[in-house]
Amino acid sequence: ETPASSARYLSHFVPLVSVTDGPSGSYIGVRGEAVYIPPSPCLPVDTCGAGDAYASGFLYGILRGVSDLKDLGTLAARTAAVVVGQQGTRLSVQDAVDLAESFAFHLDNSAI
């Protein structure tokens, strides 16, 4: 019925699930619980690629060992916001560098 209830339900069948809710944020489901992730601020230009960008930030966080679900979701939301804030799905080199640097700062200052 809702993204939160979907995340809770699906988390009974898989170890970790994320359900996005567009400009309203997203939910990460684990063991029957759903953690709300607020959207990262941006001025939307083009939503094409937002889901793929969110997934790439999510997977990047997992591969970097992020265990805090709020931190993991924040990385995913920030990645999606950068893509949504531009025309087209490909990041410029400078946007990719800025995003990577913000991840490094975030990872260094998080509760990993």
Side-chain angles (χ1 to χ4, degrees):
E1 295 176 10
T2 67
S5 65
S6 296
R8 281 191 298 272
Y9 176 76
L10 292 170
S11 72
H12 290 287
F13 304 100
V14 295
L16 181 67
V17 64
S18 179
V19 178
T20 59
D21 192 17
S24 297
S26 60
Y27 295 86
I28 297 176
V30 176
R31 292 184 219 113
E33 298 295 324
V35 176
Y36 174 68
I37 307 298
S40 193
C42 75
L43 180 62
V45 175
D46 182 1
T47 60
C48 185
D52 290 341
Y54 183 96
S56 70
F58 194 82
L59 293 172
Y60 176 84
I62 290 172
L63 292 172
R64 290 297 303 254
V66 176
S67 59
D68 182 86
L69 296 180
K70 283 283 196 182
D71 288 344
L72 184 60
T74 298
L75 292 175
R78 186 175 297 148
T79 306
V82 171
V83 170
V84 168
Q86 68 175 19
Q87 186 65 43
T89 59
R90 293 194 184 266
L91 295 178
S92 69
V93 171
Q94 188 58 52
D95 283 342
V97 168
D98 292 345
L99 188 58
E101 287 174 353
S102 78
F103 281 175
F105 174 79
H106 188 77
L107 291 171
D108 290 342
N109 293 295
S110 71
I112 298 174

